[in-house]
Amino acid sequence: MNGDCKNNMQPLRLQAAEWVARVYSGSFSEQDEINLKKWREQSELHETEFLEALAVMDDFRDFGISPQDVAQPRHGGIRKSIWAVAAVAAVFMLSFLGITLRDGPEAPSVPLDADKAQLVYSTGVGEQKTVTLGDGSTVALNTASRVYVDFDDQTRWLILDQGEAYFDVAKNSGRPFVVSVGNQAITVLGTKFNVRRSKGEISVAVSEGKVAVHEKLDRQDFVKRITPIFEGSSEAVGGLKHYMLAQGAVGNFSTGENFDGAVAIGNPYQHQIWRENLLSFSGSSLEEVARELSRYSQKPVLVEGEDVRQMLVSGVFRSDELENIWTGLEGLLPVRVEERAGEIVILAAN
């Protein structure tokens, strides 16, 4: 019985692998997206097989190979059709044999609304992960982050529930990509940007394209009210308050009921350097540094003494090498680092 079931699943799994290879091919069209959506909606098994094939393709990153490298030819002499067959074979064989490099399910279904199941992607403390969505967009999650995903025909809707994420959004002018954070939302049509959610505020840094940060809207009238912003109107329908951020802009916004923010030209790279497992500080107080390091540590990082808290730190550190950071701080400053029960403490050297 089990053998027959596996044999029956092979054609479906192969179709899923073919779709994933097409998503990464570099020529995934809007019509392809429509056809893929119809294919995935045929049954729960179709959706499950697609997500599994998508996750397996993402696992190539653990070998230092990007999924795009798998799905696209490096040399002009190799025909795309042949290369696509090879990509499909790789994904199909890995998924069929059950080979996975992940610690657990990549995209379990969880209820976001009472009447609808959603996808959720998350990372643990010190973990980072990049996932590819059904439209070809990618989301890189930083430490201790979680994002919910819910796409429909009109919008590509996500909720950044906690933490930080970098979004590389596939262009689709007829289907906005929305990231909801607290009482605010960020809408784009196709761009690259970083969002960090912390207590009471969000920061947005735009690497490419433009984004609109605005009050959160009901999905029913979202498209009608947000479209004028991207058509150049200074006022959205219904007086929607918003900030427009172009490439190079960095903005900080409140997440509470009273929407407010400030936008300036900055260095977006500094806001996404975490993707290289790097932390950069320039004249930051040791208290600020400890707060940032706590995001990557299994134990909270505390600083004892007001004088020690105000010591200034400049330098670049690797977030995945905390022991080296403790040693580096002891070399830079007159401090010592102690590991106590349930916490890391930085205090004066004498």
Short mmCIF file of all heavy atoms in Angstrom, two decimals, residues 214-237:
data_model
loop_
_atom_site.label_atom_id
_atom_site.label_comp_id
_atom_site.label_asym_id
_atom_site.label_seq_id
_atom_site.Cartn_x
_atom_site.Cartn_y
_atom_site.Cartn_z
N HIS A 214 2.46 53.41 5.73
CA HIS A 214 1.17 54.05 5.95
C HIS A 214 0.40 53.35 7.06
O HIS A 214 0.80 52.30 7.56
CB HIS A 214 0.35 54.03 4.66
CG HIS A 214 0.20 52.66 4.07
ND1 HIS A 214 -0.77 51.76 4.46
CD2 HIS A 214 0.94 52.02 3.12
CE1 HIS A 214 -0.63 50.64 3.78
NE2 HIS A 214 0.40 50.76 2.96
N GLU A 215 -0.71 53.95 7.41
CA GLU A 215 -1.60 53.33 8.39
C GLU A 215 -2.15 52.03 7.82
O GLU A 215 -2.38 51.91 6.62
CB GLU A 215 -2.76 54.28 8.69
CG GLU A 215 -2.32 55.62 9.28
CD GLU A 215 -3.43 56.65 9.23
OE1 GLU A 215 -3.85 57.00 8.11
OE2 GLU A 215 -3.86 57.08 10.30
N LYS A 216 -2.35 51.07 8.71
CA LYS A 216 -2.85 49.77 8.26
C LYS A 216 -4.28 49.90 7.75
O LYS A 216 -5.07 50.65 8.30
CB LYS A 216 -2.79 48.76 9.41
CG LYS A 216 -3.07 47.34 8.99
CD LYS A 216 -2.62 46.35 10.04
CE LYS A 216 -3.35 46.52 11.35
NZ LYS A 216 -2.98 45.48 12.33
N LEU A 217 -4.58 49.15 6.68
CA LEU A 217 -5.89 49.21 6.05
C LEU A 217 -6.58 47.86 6.09
O LEU A 217 -5.92 46.82 6.14
CB LEU A 217 -5.75 49.63 4.58
CG LEU A 217 -5.27 51.05 4.29
CD1 LEU A 217 -4.92 51.17 2.81
CD2 LEU A 217 -6.33 52.05 4.67
N ASP A 218 -7.90 47.89 6.02
CA ASP A 218 -8.64 46.65 5.79
C ASP A 218 -8.36 46.17 4.37
O ASP A 218 -8.25 46.97 3.44
CB ASP A 218 -10.15 46.88 5.96
CG ASP A 218 -10.51 47.15 7.41
OD1 ASP A 218 -9.77 46.70 8.29
OD2 ASP A 218 -11.54 47.83 7.64
N ARG A 219 -8.28 44.88 4.20
CA ARG A 219 -7.93 44.35 2.89
C ARG A 219 -9.02 44.61 1.85
O ARG A 219 -8.76 44.68 0.66
CB ARG A 219 -7.66 42.85 3.00
CG ARG A 219 -6.44 42.55 3.82
CD ARG A 219 -6.15 41.08 3.92
NE ARG A 219 -5.73 40.50 2.66
CZ ARG A 219 -5.13 39.33 2.55
NH1 ARG A 219 -4.87 38.63 3.64
NH2 ARG A 219 -4.78 38.85 1.39
N GLN A 220 -10.26 44.79 2.32
CA GLN A 220 -11.36 44.95 1.38
C GLN A 220 -11.20 46.19 0.50
O GLN A 220 -11.50 46.17 -0.69
CB GLN A 220 -12.70 45.04 2.14
CG GLN A 220 -13.18 43.71 2.71
CD GLN A 220 -12.40 43.30 3.95
OE1 GLN A 220 -11.64 44.09 4.50
NE2 GLN A 220 -12.59 42.07 4.40
N ASP A 221 -10.72 47.30 1.08
CA ASP A 221 -10.59 48.52 0.28
C ASP A 221 -9.14 48.93 0.11
O ASP A 221 -8.84 50.07 -0.24
CB ASP A 221 -11.38 49.66 0.91
CG ASP A 221 -10.83 50.06 2.28
OD1 ASP A 221 -10.02 49.31 2.84
OD2 ASP A 221 -11.22 51.14 2.76
N PHE A 222 -8.23 47.97 0.32
CA PHE A 222 -6.81 48.30 0.29
C PHE A 222 -6.37 48.81 -1.07
O PHE A 222 -5.76 49.88 -1.19
CB PHE A 222 -5.98 47.08 0.69
CG PHE A 222 -4.50 47.30 0.55
CD1 PHE A 222 -3.80 47.93 1.54
CD2 PHE A 222 -3.83 46.91 -0.60
CE1 PHE A 222 -2.45 48.17 1.42
CE2 PHE A 222 -2.48 47.13 -0.74
CZ PHE A 222 -1.79 47.76 0.27
N VAL A 223 -6.63 48.04 -2.12
CA VAL A 223 -6.14 48.38 -3.45
C VAL A 223 -6.67 49.75 -3.89
O VAL A 223 -5.93 50.58 -4.43
CB VAL A 223 -6.52 47.30 -4.48
CG1 VAL A 223 -6.13 47.74 -5.89
CG2 VAL A 223 -5.84 45.98 -4.13
N LYS A 224 -7.93 50.02 -3.63
CA LYS A 224 -8.54 51.30 -4.04
C LYS A 224 -7.85 52.48 -3.37
O LYS A 224 -7.63 53.52 -3.98
CB LYS A 224 -10.03 51.28 -3.70
CG LYS A 224 -10.75 52.58 -4.04
CD LYS A 224 -12.21 52.50 -3.68
CE LYS A 224 -12.40 52.46 -2.16
NZ LYS A 224 -13.83 52.49 -1.78
N ARG A 225 -7.47 52.31 -2.10
CA ARG A 225 -6.94 53.43 -1.35
C ARG A 225 -5.42 53.59 -1.50
O ARG A 225 -4.90 54.68 -1.32
CB ARG A 225 -7.29 53.28 0.14
CG ARG A 225 -8.78 53.34 0.41
CD ARG A 225 -9.06 53.37 1.89
NE ARG A 225 -8.55 54.60 2.50
CZ ARG A 225 -8.51 54.80 3.82
NH1 ARG A 225 -8.92 53.86 4.64
NH2 ARG A 225 -8.04 55.93 4.30
N ILE A 226 -4.71 52.51 -1.81
CA ILE A 226 -3.26 52.60 -1.87
C ILE A 226 -2.75 52.91 -3.28
O ILE A 226 -1.68 53.49 -3.46
CB ILE A 226 -2.61 51.30 -1.35
CG1 ILE A 226 -1.16 51.58 -0.90
CG2 ILE A 226 -2.61 50.21 -2.40
CD1 ILE A 226 -1.06 52.44 0.32
N THR A 227 -3.51 52.53 -4.31
CA THR A 227 -3.05 52.72 -5.69
C THR A 227 -2.68 54.16 -6.02
O THR A 227 -1.65 54.40 -6.68
CB THR A 227 -4.12 52.21 -6.68
OG1 THR A 227 -4.32 50.81 -6.46
CG2 THR A 227 -3.67 52.43 -8.11
N PRO A 228 -3.46 55.18 -5.60
CA PRO A 228 -3.09 56.56 -5.94
C PRO A 228 -1.70 56.96 -5.47
O PRO A 228 -1.06 57.82 -6.10
CB PRO A 228 -4.18 57.39 -5.24
CG PRO A 228 -5.35 56.48 -5.14
CD PRO A 228 -4.76 55.13 -4.90
N ILE A 229 -1.21 56.38 -4.39
CA ILE A 229 0.12 56.72 -3.90
C ILE A 229 1.17 56.40 -4.94
O ILE A 229 2.07 57.19 -5.23
CB ILE A 229 0.41 55.97 -2.58
CG1 ILE A 229 -0.49 56.49 -1.46
CG2 ILE A 229 1.88 56.11 -2.19
CD1 ILE A 229 -0.31 55.76 -0.15
N PHE A 230 1.06 55.21 -5.55
CA PHE A 230 2.06 54.79 -6.52
C PHE A 230 1.83 55.40 -7.90
O PHE A 230 2.66 55.26 -8.79
CB PHE A 230 2.07 53.26 -6.61
CG PHE A 230 2.66 52.62 -5.39
CD1 PHE A 230 1.86 52.18 -4.36
CD2 PHE A 230 4.04 52.48 -5.25
CE1 PHE A 230 2.40 51.60 -3.22
CE2 PHE A 230 4.59 51.91 -4.12
CZ PHE A 230 3.77 51.47 -3.10
N GLU A 231 0.70 56.08 -8.06
CA GLU A 231 0.45 56.79 -9.31
C GLU A 231 0.86 58.26 -9.21
O GLU A 231 0.58 59.06 -10.09
CB GLU A 231 -1.03 56.68 -9.67
CG GLU A 231 -1.44 55.26 -10.06
CD GLU A 231 -2.91 55.15 -10.38
OE1 GLU A 231 -3.67 56.10 -10.04
OE2 GLU A 231 -3.32 54.14 -10.97
N GLY A 232 1.52 58.61 -8.09
CA GLY A 232 2.07 59.95 -7.95
C GLY A 232 1.21 60.92 -7.18
O GLY A 232 1.56 62.10 -7.05
N SER A 233 0.08 60.48 -6.65
CA SER A 233 -0.78 61.37 -5.90
C SER A 233 -0.18 61.65 -4.52
O SER A 233 0.31 60.74 -3.85
CB SER A 233 -2.17 60.75 -5.73
OG SER A 233 -2.97 61.54 -4.87
N SER A 234 -0.21 62.90 -4.09
CA SER A 234 0.31 63.24 -2.77
C SER A 234 -0.67 62.86 -1.67
O SER A 234 -0.31 62.74 -0.51
CB SER A 234 0.61 64.74 -2.68
OG SER A 234 -0.58 65.49 -2.93
N GLU A 235 -1.93 62.68 -2.04
CA GLU A 235 -2.95 62.30 -1.07
C GLU A 235 -3.63 61.01 -1.53
O GLU A 235 -4.10 60.92 -2.65
CB GLU A 235 -4.00 63.40 -0.92
CG GLU A 235 -3.46 64.67 -0.29
CD GLU A 235 -3.09 64.48 1.17
OE1 GLU A 235 -3.66 63.57 1.81
OE2 GLU A 235 -2.23 65.22 1.67
N ALA A 236 -3.64 60.03 -0.66
CA ALA A 236 -4.33 58.79 -0.99
C ALA A 236 -5.83 58.97 -0.78
O ALA A 236 -6.28 59.89 -0.10
CB ALA A 236 -3.82 57.66 -0.12
N VAL A 237 -6.61 58.09 -1.38
CA VAL A 237 -8.06 58.14 -1.23
C VAL A 237 -8.41 58.02 0.25
O VAL A 237 -7.87 57.19 0.97
CB VAL A 237 -8.72 57.00 -2.03
CG1 VAL A 237 -10.23 56.98 -1.77
CG2 VAL A 237 -8.43 57.18 -3.51
#
